[in-house]
């Protein structure tokens, strides 16, 4: 019988096994090579994805005359005046005004989506009413509807209400559960919760409102955080709808303010523009880092924790 002593295998005649390691584990080298190959591939893809960010950071500290004339990431000299010019603002308007406008629109959109989409999702997932199925199907169909199709009717309505040039056209639709993707996300999440929780709440005397408040809403936190993160990022980076509805530079958000660096003079100020681009990324990164734990939790959990 073959025995193992001191971590070495023995031959049937009692002598030590002197075979090389490669002969004992023929697949070890191939598995190691595959692992190295996967790591190299992943690192290469990561470098490809991070290159635009690195380029933006490097360009923000380059002198303006080197931005278009030099392909090197490293500047010949540092140009901190780009950030100074960006912080001074544009056309007499402080950069903090643009930041404040962006924060107002983004936070208003986040609150609107959280409230309206959660209520609509609870109604579709738990309540019984006529035409619930067709209405939910119609809501999902709006996901495939391009934004440009409804842009002109919406603009006409807000113009007749004398709301063009304010933040209302950017925030009000969020209060009406117009983002069908988040409604669908929350509906699927709520449908995964046991109905026994609703039955127990009903036995305790809770109606639909109290059941939503004390049972569904606490368990809905992962889906709410996911909705908040994506709504904030999409609204913060939105350019087209803000360009359509905002016509006063004092009400411009950061995406519109970046365009002013090109339009305000005949000579484009690329250095300050890239510096302000870096500054505009910071709130998005901080918002994501603050809530990424809940986002991962929403992916990993079944929603039955609380």
């Amino acid at each position: 019988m073959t025995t193992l002593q001191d971590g070495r295998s023995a031959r049937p005649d009692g002598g030590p096994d002197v075979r090389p390691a490669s002969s004992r584990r023929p697949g070890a080298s191939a598995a190691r090579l595959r692992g190295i190959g996967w790591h190299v591939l992943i690192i290469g893809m990561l470098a490809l994805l991070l290159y635009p960010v690195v380029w933006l950071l490097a360009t923000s500290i380059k002198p303006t005359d080197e931005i278009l004339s030099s392909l090197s990431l490293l500047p010949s000299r540092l140009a901190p005046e780009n950030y100074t010019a960006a912080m001074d603002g544009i056309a007499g308007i402080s950069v903090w005004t643009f930041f404040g406008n962006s924060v107002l629109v983004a936070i208003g959109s986040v609150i609107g989506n959280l409230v309206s989409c959660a209520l609509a999702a609870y109604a579709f997932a738990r309540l019984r009413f006529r035409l619930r199925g067709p209405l939910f199907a119609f809501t999902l169909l709006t996901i495939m509807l391009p934004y440009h199709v409804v842009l002109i009717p919406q603009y006409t309505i807000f113009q007749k209400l004398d709301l063009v040039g304010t933040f209302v056209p950017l925030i009000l639709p969020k209060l009406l559960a117009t983002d069908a993707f988040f409604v669908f996300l929350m509906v699927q999440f709520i449908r995964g919760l046991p109905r026994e929780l609703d039955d127990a709440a009903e036995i305790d005397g809770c109606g639909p409102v109290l059941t939503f408040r004390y049972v569904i809403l606490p368990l809905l936190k992962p889906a709410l955080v996911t909705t908040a993160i994506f709504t904030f990022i999409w609204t913060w980076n939105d350019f087209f709808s803000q360009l359509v509805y905002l016509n006063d530079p004092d009400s411009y958000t950061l995406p519109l303010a970046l365009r002013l660096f090109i339009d305000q003079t005949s000579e484009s100020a690329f250095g300050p523009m890239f510096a302000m681009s870096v500054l505009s990324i910071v709130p998005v990164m901080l918002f994501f880092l603050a809530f990424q734990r809940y986002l991962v939790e929403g992916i990993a959990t079944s929603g039955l924790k609380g």
Side-chain angles (χ1 to χ4, degrees):
M1 178 181 297
T2 301
T3 59
L4 296 176
Q5 295 179 352
D6 298 331
R8 298 177 298 175
S9 62
R11 296 183 304 184
D13 58 2
D17 190 359
V18 295
R19 292 178 300 169
S22 59
S23 63
R24 295 197 301 268
R25 299 182 59 188
S29 298
R32 187 179 298 109
L33 289 177
R34 285 196 299 269
I36 295 175
W38 276 111
H39 281 82
V40 171
L41 178 62
I42 293 174
I43 292 174
M45 295 178 61
L46 180 63
L48 184 64
L49 293 174
L50 292 181
Y51 177 79
V53 180
V54 176
W55 184 89
L56 177 62
L57 294 174
T59 306
S60 66
I61 57 176
K62 276 186 177 182
T64 302
D65 56 349
E66 291 187 16
I67 293 178
L68 299 180
S69 61
S70 176
L71 297 178
S72 175
L73 284 178
L74 300 177
S76 60
R77 67 175 182 86
L78 298 180
E81 61 270 13
N82 292 339
Y83 284 91
T84 303
M87 296 300 295
D88 289 339
I90 313 169
I93 304 175
S94 172
V95 67
W96 299 112
T97 300
F98 302 128
F99 265 98
N101 294 337
S102 292
V103 170
L104 178 61
V105 174
I107 296 300
S109 299
V110 168
I111 295 175
N113 263 350
L114 291 180
V115 174
S116 62
C117 293
L119 292 174
Y122 175 69
F124 284 129
R126 285 293 198 259
L127 303 184
R128 303 290 182 181
F129 55 91
R130 295 183 60 185
L131 301 179
R132 185 185 67 164
L135 287 176
F136 184 59
F138 179 78
T139 301
L140 296 183
L141 286 176
T142 60
I143 298 178
M144 298 180 289
L145 194 65
Y147 175 72
H148 307 81
V149 174
V150 298
L151 175 63
I152 295 179
Q154 284 185 358
Y155 184 86
T156 302
I157 293 173
F158 288 122
Q159 187 181 37
K160 291 183 179 298
L161 296 175
D162 198 22
L163 294 175
V164 175
T166 66
F167 299 131
V168 175
L170 302 174
I171 300 177
L172 182 60
K174 308 297 183 182
L175 295 170
L176 302 177
T178 56
D179 283 336
F181 171 77
F182 297 121
V183 175
F184 174 74
L185 175 70
M186 294 186 189
V187 166
Q188 296 303 109
F189 192 92
I190 295 175
R191 284 177 176 174
L193 301 178
R195 285 189 173 272
E196 288 78 4
L197 299 175
D198 300 52
D199 297 337
E202 185 177 358
I203 293 175
D204 290 338
C206 294
V209 176
L210 294 180
T211 301
F212 173 76
R213 168 63 181 85
Y214 294 106
V215 177
I216 301 298
L217 192 60
L219 299 177
L220 197 60
K221 184 178 68 174
L224 293 175
V225 172
T226 303
T227 300
I229 290 176
F230 284 105
T231 300
F232 184 88
I233 294 176
W234 293 348
T235 305
W236 187 271
N237 295 328
D238 183 29
F239 176 81
F240 182 71
S241 60
Q242 297 173 7
L243 177 65
V244 170
Y245 289 111
L246 301 179
N247 48 31
D248 185 4
D250 288 324
S251 63
Y252 278 5
T253 56
L254 279 174
L256 299 182
L258 291 174
R259 189 192 62 166
L260 295 180
F261 282 106
I262 300 177
D263 295 342
Q264 65 173 343
T265 61
S266 58
E267 181 179 357
S268 300
F270 288 109
M273 181 182 68
F274 287 121
M276 182 174 282
S277 298
V278 173
L279 296 176
S280 66
I281 295 176
V282 173
V284 177
M285 295 181 61
L286 294 178
F287 191 86
F288 178 79
L289 292 175
F291 294 100
Q292 67 167 341
R293 178 172 64 89
Y294 300 101
L295 179 62
V296 175
E297 178 186 346
I299 297 174
T301 187
S302 62
L304 298 179
K305 184 175 69 173

